[in-house]
Amino acid sequence: MEVAVNRRWNVNGQEIEVTFNSGDRLLDVLRNDLGLMGAKEGCGEGECGACSVLINGELKLSCLQLAAVLSDGTAILTAEGIENTRQGPLLQETANRNGAVQCGYCTPGMMVAMYWLMEHPKIPAGQGLSGNLCRCTGYKALIDTVDECRRILAGKKDGDMT
Amino acid sequence: MRNWCGEPVPRVDGLDKARGRTVYLGDQSLDGALFGVLVRSPVAKGRLKKIYWDESIDWSGLFRVEAEDIPGQNCVSIIKKDMPCLAFDKIMYLGEPVALVASADLGLARSAALTAKQDIEPEKPLLDIRQAVEKYRQEPQSDGLIHSIDIERGDVQNALASSDLIVDGEYWTGPQEHVYLEPQVVAAIPRGDKIEILGSMQCPYYVRPAVALALGMPDENIIVRQTPTGGAFGGKEDFPSSIAIHAALLAQKAHAPVKIIFDRQEDISFTTKRHPSCVKLKAGVKADGTFSALEAEVLLDGGAYTTLSPVVLSRAAIHACGPYRWRDVGVKARTLRTNMPPYGAFRGFGAPQVHFAIESHVDEIAARLDMDPVELRKKNLLREGDQTATGQVLKESVSAVACLESVSRAADYAAFKKKLEHVQSTRHKKYGLGVASFWHGGGFTGAGEEHIAAEVAIDLMEGGRVQVAISSTEMGQGERTTIPQIAAQALGGIPLDLVSCDLPDTSNAPDSGPTVASRTIMMVGALVESCCMDVLAYLKKVSKTRDDEQIADWPDAVGRALKGRPKIRFAKKYEKPPDLKWNEERHVGDAYAAYAWGAVAARVSIDMLTMETTVDDIWCTVDAGKAINPKIVEGQVQGGLVQALGYALFENLQVSEQGAFLQNRLQNYIVPTSMDTPGLHVELIENMYSRGPFGAKGVGELPMNGLAPAIRNALRQALGQAPNRIPMIPENLVEQGLAGNTGG
Ligand code: FES
Ligand code: FES
């Protein structure tokens, strides 16, 4: 039997409180209860990555994530929250300039994966994006965007230190 | 004043998409909306006698529609009217819609739909292109034909008889699913005596008359608005009409908005796919390698209903001879009927199938002549002044040779061939480099553009703002960015941010035709350009600017033209250039106003233990005329190539004995990921087309055409023999006897 679950999370930097059914997927809670439509359902079974979010810094598929198991205090980052991060605007603008955005349906999930790759600079871009399908771009522009942003961010860091 | 054409300006819709702010229809909540679901037939062929519903469940708040409830004509009108919106009596494929259910609760709607018991007398279905081809060859005149096209030029039998060498071959291609990332979605909202349709779609003016006919309403009472579209590739060309009708029928019944959203499994199982094909070729060649005669039998599996198959077949037939000079040609093209969901439009539209055949065949001819495949192509590729199979004289913008030369230079073809002789024999891995040439006619085939008679409009508004009103849609290909670039430039280089092109709404945008056939830039863009020239001439008059001068103050000039009105509209309609001639019945004449050209080389390796093919590098050069936005053009080529890579190597659809696709989820229908993306080396040649906007031709479909045969030809080089069937998955290679040969 489904029961109502109440949680306090930090979503995109904001403390929120939400009540949902115990069987709900995180994707449904984000979209239906929190009105965050960035994460998309492209397959509903963990194959396409359109629903990607970060949960406590880990790249996760929200269509496979039972919401109820995320305890109070869990930090969730969705595509909508990326703009307000340090690397966000750079990633978004570079992606657009490079032609890494076409139809845009994979894009929110891609941006989350790309953001995660900025935090994990050792993982090759092609490998890091391999859980996210894009049918439009052929991936080259996406991979180039990750590489370019990494170069820029690494440069900035070096600059900071001198 | 700026030169916008040729600028890689970032897409206007890109940042919103990157920020996760773009609202697709599935993200939009509609007040009081119900969810619609389809009840589908459980058999592939049979007679439907009656549908029994479980009346013991609570039907309040639930709505249902059957064929007899349809107020207008029970058909999804496109080329013919043979496909019902809801099947009655005859069932033609597994999963054919027979009824509809709606409820505010999607789960409830689904379970109510499941209670429908269909009394069906099953019949034996024809499911597979192999069976269909066999049947056709036994009785070519049977009722199993959806469409036939013959192209004859010269005397092919005589020419074959007098050729030095005759090469035969037969090539098969499988179906391909679009996998647009956003599954099909549509909504219908009753508005008084009108119905508004929202949807992810390519062709608002296909949806409008289709819904009007089924609902028995005048066209004007159906208002169609495209919502942001998460990919389409042809899969949202004709298909949205059918679910738009379903949503409208339910909305009318329930007096409430109804949304229909497919999940991925329903989408893969029951929407259109690329036509499977069997192409048989007999080529007559001179001893020096000159092509003389080609006989082609092009058979496509059309599925259960006509839908777009006649035009797909026409494009296949015309492109079947490849971008080559043949003196005598005989093409027999047929679409066969099977009991599968109708096959439909998919980027390339019949051309990728025939390119797989002819480009593989050219390598077979080269092998028989012991000639280099690149040299053989160069000898026979079409050049300016040559005639195509339909007798069209190519007057301008022909780049087949230039593209091939560019690619073989970039891939360092000659050096690779030398190196290959050493590496081949020592490894359990084999290597190959294959090439293919390709072409693609821009715009509708034959008289198609004349029939569509596209219209565009330009609205001038306060502050000097310019709105381009067209029914062409943005589906990721960059229309909302490229069309304004054309307009801004044609208006004298005004600031680009003054110009916009919104998603179409049929109550505002004139019918500029469907967003298909690589026609949006080449045909619609040309009309926009010429409409802008009228606007500019008018504004120069009202602002007293001399013809050879720039308008000094654009907003002021527009203000003078507006005279206080909120907007004024200029319009332009397509007129057929008088020199283009076409005979539809005989398929003779100017099949397309212009062609885009390309060549591609693929470097592959194959693991002889697993028979898995890896593509390491792809070099591709295309000529689509002026690249209005080179970044967008490059993106089209890269994306098209990776779709073609999937078509060639991974995307496998098998049909069960009942008539269902066995691969109907992304778990088993495998599309390329970022790990499969090879080195992509794209070059653009700009060979201007005099009637295109600033010289542009179409590029959308072109990159889909050549890669599959290039990979096949690379495998031929690696293995010594070649697969003649795609997808070239390991199982298929083994089945064709290509495994186990590690000797080299
Ligand atoms: S929707 Fe979650 S992986 Fe596809
Ligand atoms: S941009 Fe369309 S799926 Fe990636």
Side-chain angles (χ1 to χ4, degrees):
Chain A
M1 209 41 217
E2 297 238 3
V3 292
V5 178
N6 182 271
R7 289 285 182 271
R8 289 159 190 269
W9 294 332
N10 180 306
V11 178
N12 296 332
Q14 288 192 3
E15 306 298 326
I16 57 103
E17 187 176 342
V18 61
T19 306
F20 50 85
N21 282 331
S22 53
D24 286 356
R25 309 173 299 173
L26 176 60
L27 179 62
D28 302 321
V29 176
L30 290 173
R31 292 178 58 87
N32 303 340
D33 301 308
L34 298 174
L36 292 168
M37 295 295 179
K40 308 278 184 254
E41 177 160 349
C43 69
E45 57 179 14
E47 293 290 330
C48 75
C51 64
S52 300
V53 297
L54 293 194
I55 300 175
N56 294 329
E58 291 294 314
L59 185 59
K60 295 280 184 191
L61 299 170
S62 63
C63 74
L64 296 184
Q65 178 68 51
L66 204 59
V69 304
L70 301 176
S71 54
D72 285 350
T74 299
I76 297 168
L77 184 75
T78 73
E80 290 95 332
I82 289 182
E83 200 178 343
N84 298 323
T85 64
R86 193 171 60 90
Q87 306 94 323
L90 171 73
L91 270 172
Q92 291 165 344
E93 272 153 38
T94 311
N96 193 30
R97 190 163 22 81
N98 283 345
V101 182
Q102 290 194 18
C103 80
Y105 209 74
C106 73
T107 309
M110 282 289 180
M111 297 309 300
V112 171
M114 286 188 186
Y115 175 87
W116 178 76
L117 281 170
M118 296 301 115
E119 310 273 284
H120 296 82
K122 294 246 163 62
I123 302 172
Q127 195 182 316
L129 298 178
S130 65
N132 292 66
L133 296 180
C134 174
R135 194 59 157 169
C136 297
T137 62
Y139 302 105
K140 184 176 180 335
L142 291 157
I143 293 170
D144 289 351
T145 299
V146 171
D147 292 340
E148 189 181 331
C149 289
R150 279 175 168 175
R151 270 197 309 275
I152 294 170
L153 291 172
K156 270 207 186 128
K157 222 192 244 156
D158 293 349
D160 286 351
M161 285 190 293
T162 53
Chain B
M1 293 292 146
R2 234 179 109 175
N3 208 348
W4 292 113
C5 288
E7 282 291 304
V9 298
R11 304 176 174 250
V12 294
D13 51 351
L15 264 188
D16 268 356
K17 287 173 173 174
R19 290 170 177 158
R21 288 189 194 162
T22 302
V23 181
Y24 297 82
L25 183 53
D27 305 333
Q28 205 173 321
S29 67
L30 302 171
D31 269 353
L34 312 178
F35 290 98
V37 301
L38 282 65
V39 178
R40 298 177 176 281
S41 81
V43 301
K45 194 173 183 205
R47 300 238 155 236
L48 171 63
K49 289 188 272 183
K50 195 168 164 49
I51 302 172
Y52 297 95
W53 302 89
D54 182 351
E55 304 293 355
S56 70
I57 63 167
D58 180 8
W59 280 90
S60 57
L62 281 158
F63 301 88
R64 65 188 192 218
V65 170
E66 289 181 54
E68 64 203 34
D69 302 320
I70 295 171
Q73 229 171 300
N74 183 1
C75 71
V76 184
S77 152
I78 179 95
I79 290 175
K80 284 201 178 154
K81 298 189 168 66
D82 61 341
M83 182 164 87
C85 329
L86 292 176
F88 56 101
D89 183 28
K90 256 208 286 204
I91 297 293
M92 288 292 286
Y93 66 89
L94 181 89
E96 185 165 8
V98 297
L100 308 164
V101 177
S103 157
D105 180 328
L106 179 58
L108 262 184
R110 282 190 179 141
S111 37
L114 282 178
T115 72
K117 292 272 168 301
Q118 299 169 48
D119 181 4
I120 296 178
E121 204 176 289
E123 293 166 25
K124 194 175 155 32
L126 180 67
L127 298 173
D128 177 64
I129 181 165
R130 283 174 185 277
Q131 295 165 11
V133 166
E134 213 172 283
K135 186 178 149 213
Y136 164 76
R137 286 184 179 155
Q138 278 161 12
E139 33 173 340
Q141 300 307 331
S142 77
D143 60 351
L145 285 186
I146 288 180
H147 199 70
S148 306
I149 290 168
D150 290 330
I151 300 177
E152 274 170 46
R153 186 171 140 76
D155 181 346
V156 76
Q157 294 312 331
N158 235 327
L160 282 172
S162 59
S163 298
D164 296 331
L165 172 71
I166 289 185
V167 181
D168 289 294
E170 191 172 278
Y171 305 90
W172 297 77
T173 65
Q176 186 183 20
E177 160 59 32
H178 308 84
V179 194
Y180 28 70
L181 255 270
E182 177 201 33
Q184 300 278 351
V185 55
V186 72
I189 307 168
R191 300 230 188 260
D193 62 344
K194 295 189 169 60
I195 292 186
E196 185 180 324
I197 304 285
L198 306 179
S200 176
M201 64 176 74
Q202 295 175 239
C203 315
Y205 280 96
Y206 278 179
V207 174
R208 190 174 80 150
V211 173
L213 188 74
L215 273 85
M217 289 165 67
D219 278 14
E220 313 77 70
N221 286 14
I222 310 295
I223 295 159
V224 183
R225 287 169 50 202
Q226 186 214 0
T227 50
T229 296
F233 316 115
K236 294 171 185 171
E237 176 170 350
D238 57 322
F239 191 83
S241 299
S242 103
I243 48 174
I245 293 172
H246 293 151
L249 288 168
L250 284 168
Q252 217 186 26
K253 181 102 179 196
H255 304 288
V258 171
K259 210 189 241 192
I260 296 179
I261 307 184
F262 280 8
D263 65 18
R264 183 62 62 186
Q265 194 167 338
E266 184 169 25
D267 198 298
I268 300 185
S269 299
F270 304 118
T271 66
T272 60
K273 309 210 170 350
R274 188 184 301 291
H275 291 70
S277 78
C278 167
V279 179
K280 201 162 125 183
L281 298 174
K282 186 192 272 292
V285 181
K286 289 198 187 131
D288 69 353
T290 308
F291 292 176
S292 53
L294 183 72
E295 189 179 42
E297 179 191 64
V298 177
L299 303 177
L300 302 182
D301 179 350
Y305 295 106
T306 306
T307 64
L308 293 166
S309 284
V311 271
V312 174
L313 189 71
S314 170
R315 193 174 277 274
I318 293 164
H319 289 78
C321 302
Y324 302 102
R325 232 177 297 130
W326 302 92
R327 223 196 37 227
D328 301 271
V329 169
V331 179
K332 262 193 193 337
R334 305 286 181 265
T335 311
L336 311 175
R337 195 186 299 278
T338 60
N339 296 104
M340 290 302 291
Y343 292 102
F346 192 157
R347 195 180 206 168
F349 211 70
Q353 293 94 319
V354 293
H355 274 85
F356 180 69
I358 186 70
E359 285 306 302
S360 299
H361 206 59
V362 170
D363 270 42
E364 293 309 308
I365 297 171
R368 291 281 294 279
L369 291 165
D370 200 18
M371 257 181 97
D372 178 81
V374 169
E375 292 311 313
L376 180 65
R377 281 185 173 80
K378 271 193 212 160
K379 200 177 173 72
N380 292 288
L381 281 171
L382 288 164
R383 290 160 168 83
E384 236 167 78
D386 283 340
Q387 282 188 39
T388 68
T390 64
Q392 174 172 11
V393 179
L394 298 170
K395 296 192 199 95
E396 59 168 335
S397 196
V398 181
S399 307
V401 176
C403 287
L404 184 60
E405 281 173 347
S406 154
V407 151
S408 60
R409 211 173 28 240
D412 207 353
Y413 180 78
F416 183 84
K417 252 182 80 178
K418 271 227 182 72
K419 216 167 72 190
L420 212 55
E421 287 155 21
H422 306 290
V423 290
Q424 200 80 294
S425 55
T426 54
R427 306 270 166 92
H428 284 272
K429 215 167 197 173
K430 296 194 169 196
Y431 300 88
L433 180 68
V435 299
S437 289
F438 52 97
W439 61 332
H440 202 84
F444 273 111
T445 306
E449 290 297 337
E450 206 181 336
H451 291 149
I452 286 286
E455 274 184 74
V456 306
I458 305 282
D459 293 332
L460 292 183
M461 294 156 68
E462 274 165 64
R465 282 187 304 123
V466 177
Q467 250 178 26
V468 182
I470 51 180
S471 66
S472 312
T473 56
E474 169 70 58
M475 48 192 173
Q477 88 285 33
E479 175 254 8
R480 287 188 62 201
T481 307
T482 312
I483 290 284
Q485 283 182 262
I486 292 170
Q489 169 114 27
L491 292 169
I494 61 168
L496 189 57
D497 53 15
L498 284 177
V499 187
S500 62
C501 179
D502 294 339
L503 297 182
D505 168 340
T506 57
S507 64
N508 176 55
D511 184 0
S512 62
T515 316
V516 303
S518 308
R519 64 183 291 281
T520 300
I521 298 309
M522 176 170 146
M523 307 304 301
V524 182
L527 280 173
V528 167
E529 182 193 14
S530 102
C531 192
C532 285
M533 277 151 56
D534 294 350
V535 172
L536 190 61
Y538 180 75
L539 289 183
K540 282 190 173 177
K541 215 170 77 195
V542 297
S543 64
K544 304 206 170 46
T545 309
R546 279 209 337 251
D547 267 1
D548 56 345
E549 275 176 3
Q550 299 275 4
I551 292 176
D553 186 340
W554 175 264
D556 177 70
V558 172
R560 280 165 198 269
L562 286 170
K563 290 191 202 113
R565 292 166 294 182
K567 74 172 188 187
I568 45 173
R569 173 167 280 203
F570 291 74
K572 196 90 193 176
K573 196 169 178 153
Y574 174 79
E575 276 167 43
K576 183 182 86 81
D579 57 310
L580 293 182
K581 304 249 182 318
W582 178 250
N583 180 322
E584 175 67 30
E585 214 166 294
R586 292 172 49 227
H587 259 59
V588 169
D590 300 303
Y592 300 97
Y595 295 82
W597 307 89
V600 60
R603 191 164 60 86
V604 314
S605 54
I606 178 160
D607 182 322
M608 294 309 292
L609 298 174
T610 62
M611 292 308 279
E612 218 175 321
T613 305
T614 306
V615 179
D616 298 314
D617 280 286
I618 297 171
W619 294 268
C620 183
T621 301
V622 303
D623 159 34
K626 177 73 189 172
I628 307 280
N629 184 322
K631 202 64 262 154
I632 288 178
V633 172
E634 220 175 83
Q636 284 296 296
V637 178
Q638 292 171 353
L641 286 172
V642 173
Q643 265 177 15
L645 178 82
Y647 184 45
L649 290 177
F650 315 131
E651 298 184 31
N652 189 33
L653 281 168
Q654 293 163 294
V655 178
S656 76
E657 271 172 38
Q658 287 71 39
F661 289 113
L662 291 176
Q663 293 80 7
N664 64 357
R665 348 176 15 179
L666 293 180
Q667 263 175 20
N668 49 21
Y669 186 77
I670 308 300
V671 298
T673 72
S674 54
M675 291 298 275
D676 302 306
T677 295
L680 291 175
H681 316 280
V682 173
E683 280 181 40
L684 308 179
I685 289 178
E686 295 183 318
N687 193 345
M688 305 304 174
Y689 161 49
S690 60
R691 290 192 179 113
F694 300 97
K697 303 184 275 190
V699 72
E701 297 169 281
L702 179 74
M704 191 70 218
N705 289 354
L707 182 62
I711 293 173
R712 179 267 181 200
N713 291 341
L715 282 176
R716 184 185 205 292
Q717 199 180 41
L719 300 169
Q721 336 162 39
N724 288 338
R725 173 147 59 101
I726 49 176
M728 294 175 278
I729 53 173
E731 295 89 319
N732 282 350
L733 298 181
V734 171
E735 208 181 289
Q736 289 168 80
L738 298 166
N741 173 17
T742 49

